Each structure stands twice: as C-alpha cells, then as structure tokens.
Amino acid sequence: MVAARLLVVALTVVLLVIAYRVVVGVIRRLPALRPGVEVVRVRTLSSLLVSVARWTLGFVIVVVALRELGVDVGAIVVSAGVLGIGIGLGAQSLIRDVITGLFLVFV
C-alpha cells in the first residue's frame, strides 16, 4: 500500500516536471512568435510566466504528495485561500502597482 502511494507521488512529480519543461519551452519561444515586440518586454513576461508555472506546479506536487500521505489537503487549500485574500486586501497598493506595471509591459 505504501509502495503504491509512493509510486503515485513519483509519477505525479515526473509528469509535472515534464509539463513544466514543456511550458518553459513554449515560453522561451515567445520572442519568435512576436518579432515586433521589444526584447525587454518579452524577457519580463517570460520570466513572470516561468515563475507562475514553477509555483503552480510546485503547489500541485505538494498537494498531491500530502493527499497521498493521508493529510487532509482541503483544509490547507482553504487556509491558503483565506490567507491569500487577507494578504491581497492588505497589499492593495502593491497589487495595483503590479497590475499597472503589467499594463505598461503589454502596451
């Protein structure tokens, strides 16, 4: 039973690492898709997208591993959501600046 759970975790990690590499490969090809866009903007966006992909896939790996180990991940996910809302409300000006910066990059 333990071996099956470890196999599921290992398989999940392998699949998500492959997905991460595919996503990063697509993101790295963005300059070829948009030749008229400034290189600095494309680098900024690609760096941002790679970071989002890394954190998202890392979170999924942790949640799947904890679920397979028998931990109730529902409570963790809800707590993370509530914490995110609290941080978002507390950092509205920072988030506003980030969104403004993204619009500057896109324009």
Side-chain angles (χ1 to χ4, degrees):
M1 196 62 157
V2 174
R5 289 184 178 195
L6 290 176
L7 181 65
V8 168
V9 171
L11 185 62
T12 302
V13 170
V14 168
L15 289 175
L16 289 176
V17 166
I18 291 170
Y20 173 74
R21 290 183 185 220
V22 168
V23 168
V24 169
V26 169
I27 291 171
R28 297 289 184 220
R29 292 190 180 124
L30 283 178
L33 298 175
R34 301 289 307 246
V37 178
E38 295 177 22
V39 175
V40 176
R41 290 183 180 184
V42 173
R43 283 185 190 158
T44 302
L45 288 176
S46 64
S47 174
L48 176 69
L49 291 173
V50 167
S51 294
V52 167
R54 182 180 306 126
W55 281 101
T56 302
L57 293 175
F59 180 76
V60 170
I61 288 172
V62 168
V63 168
V64 168
L66 288 175
R67 186 187 64 198
E68 288 300 319
L69 295 174
V71 177
D72 181 24
V73 294
I76 294 172
V77 172
V78 169
S79 298
V82 170
L83 183 65
I85 290 172
I87 291 173
L89 290 174
Q92 285 182 357
S93 62
L94 175 66
I95 292 172
R96 189 177 316 126
D97 291 342
V98 168
I99 291 172
T100 303
L102 286 175
F103 281 127
L104 288 175
V105 169
F106 282 124
V107 173

